[in-house]
Amino acid sequence: MIESFKIGDVEFKNRILVASGTFGYGDEVPDLVDISKLGGVVTKSLSMKPRDGNPNPRITETASGMLNSIGLANIGVQKYISDKLPVLKKYDTKIVANIAASSVDEYCKVLELLDAQQRVHGFEINVSCPNVKEGGLSFGTDVKLVSLITKELRQRTRKPLIIKLTPNVTHISEFARACEAEGADAVSLINTVIGMAVNIHKRTPKIATTTGGLSGPAIKPIALAKVYETVNAVKIPVIGIGGIVSWEDAVEFFIVGASMVQIGTANFINPATGITVAEGVKKYCENNGFDDVGRLVRTLQTNKTISIVDSWL
Ligand code: RRO
């Protein structure tokens, strides 16, 4: 059974990653979780300077998901390199550094610092944070800026370059096409969906910034539709993210066309979710006659002539 998958020159041992912001910096793994069983860990978003993030409350639970407005709180890239990266050498898994920034120049500088680190195997570029005023969605909803960021970063690294896209646009496939045209190795989607929740007793928003990013099972159908749209628009691999809590959820993403998947919000309930998903996907493939997980990818049977999404492409 072949479970591994290559992006650029980097081979991930399986197609399951843990998503940015849901697994810290990869250094505080609970004893019960053997992260060497994961394809890789995507770090919390890193910016040049440390950031405190948004005021509290910045997380609230909703019916089938979580609303967050963390606001890019992080220790800054230099502290990550000095304090966190050395701890990661004991783990046999790939480390994908997620980068967020408020200018093209900042993206470039953070990437250059991390590119020099042997233990950083690749990059996921966050152009899709819904909770900061500068950068974030103001970049990720402008296709010209997404192109420019991809082009500038491509010139600065040979390691895998993955651009993480927002669902808060009309046609996510246009953004994926721009990333592909500028040399990205893959796109990952979706980041969180803009959402809101209200305290009816105080008549106030439940999170300080009024709106936040919705994640968890509530967004899985949205994510599947965005992945479907994207895999029909580009040739580069698409990494599916959004509401995966079980191996069955991951199998849906592979059938639709995701080449890899990331586990996000489920890690807050059980940080070992990625491992059970990897085992379940492997068993499903064995039981259904796929000798490589890749053979499952994009096996969806659709009638393209009546599919609404296909008419956009
Ligand atoms: O930190 C956040 O508020 C945050 C980020 Br950077 C992101 O990319 N997505 C999200 O839902 N929250």
Side-chain angles (χ1 to χ4, degrees):
M1 165 65 60
I2 302 170
E3 291 182 272
S4 63
F5 184 66
K6 254 179 132 176
I7 299 184
D9 292 334
V10 172
E11 181 153 350
F12 296 82
K13 68 173 66 164
N14 63 43
R15 293 167 183 256
I16 317 295
L17 307 170
V18 284
S20 180
T22 67
F23 224 78
Y25 301 101
D27 64 323
E28 304 149 2
V29 183
D31 288 343
L32 291 172
V33 183
D34 180 4
I35 62 168
S36 61
K37 290 189 172 154
L38 294 170
V41 172
V42 186
T43 70
K44 200 166 169 37
S45 285
L46 296 162
S47 55
M48 185 53 107
K49 300 239 166 70
R51 290 178 59 115
D52 291 337
N54 289 336
N56 284 313
R58 52 192 196 181
I59 292 186
T60 191
E61 214 170 310
T62 69
S64 56
M66 192 182 99
L67 202 55
N68 88 82
S69 182
I70 306 300
L72 214 49
N74 80 99
I75 58 173
V77 66
Q78 266 128 349
K79 205 164 167 56
Y80 173 74
I81 291 170
S82 60
D83 294 10
K84 303 291 181 182
L85 262 187
V87 182
L88 296 174
K89 77 170 172 229
K90 62 181 179 207
Y91 298 118
D92 175 24
T93 193
K94 298 291 187 262
I95 304 298
V96 177
N98 181 297
I99 302 176
S102 50
S103 68
V104 178
D105 189 51
E106 185 185 349
Y107 276 113
C108 293
K109 291 201 167 115
V110 176
L111 179 128
E112 280 170 347
L113 287 172
L114 291 166
D115 194 51
Q117 308 299 318
Q118 211 188 335
R119 281 183 214 109
V120 173
H121 301 99
F123 300 101
E124 181 179 70
I125 307 306
N126 188 353
V127 289
S128 45
C129 174
N131 302 325
V132 291
K133 285 192 178 143
E134 288 166 1
L137 282 195
S138 60
F139 286 177
T141 56
D142 179 336
V143 77
K144 287 205 182 90
L145 262 175
V146 171
S147 287
L148 176 67
I149 292 165
T150 310
K151 183 178 170 192
E152 291 294 327
L153 296 179
R154 180 72 290 170
Q155 287 167 13
R156 288 168 169 81
T157 185
R158 299 172 74 156
K159 294 180 185 179
L161 181 63
I162 303 161
I163 314 294
K164 184 168 182 177
L165 300 176
T166 177
N168 301 301
V169 293
T170 308
H171 293 311
I172 200 168
S173 50
E174 286 174 21
F175 291 79
R177 280 192 176 121
C179 297
E180 180 176 55
E182 295 301 344
D185 294 298
V187 286
S188 57
L189 53 128
I190 57 176
N191 204 322
T192 51
V193 180
I194 291 176
M196 188 169 163
V198 175
N199 178 327
I200 61 164
H201 306 292
K202 296 187 190 160
R203 293 196 293 280
T204 54
K206 284 191 176 172
I207 51 174
T209 54
T210 308
T211 58
L214 183 66
S215 61
I219 71 165
K220 194 185 81 177
I222 301 172
L224 284 168
K226 300 288 184 193
V227 167
Y228 179 78
E229 179 191 333
T230 305
V231 298
N232 284 292
V234 296
K235 294 198 174 68
I236 54 174
V238 174
I239 303 172
I241 319 166
I244 299 175
V245 300
S246 66
W247 65 262
E248 290 95 331
D249 294 332
V251 167
E252 279 190 70
F253 276 86
F254 289 128
I255 292 171
V256 165
S259 293
M260 296 182 103
V261 295
Q262 294 183 11
I263 312 298
T265 304
N267 289 317
F268 295 119
I269 299 161
N270 177 6
T273 304
I275 296 167
T276 50
V277 167
E279 288 164 358
V281 168
K282 185 177 173 204
K283 269 212 183 90
Y284 172 89
C285 287
E286 282 164 359
N287 293 341
N288 288 277
F290 298 107
D291 58 2
D292 177 343
V293 181
R295 291 200 194 278
L296 174 64
V297 172
R298 221 170 157 194
T299 52
L300 185 74
Q301 310 290 307
T302 50
N303 183 338
K304 286 193 183 283
T305 55
I306 58 171
S307 159
I308 307 291
V309 182
D310 285 285
S311 68
W312 302 336
L313 294 162

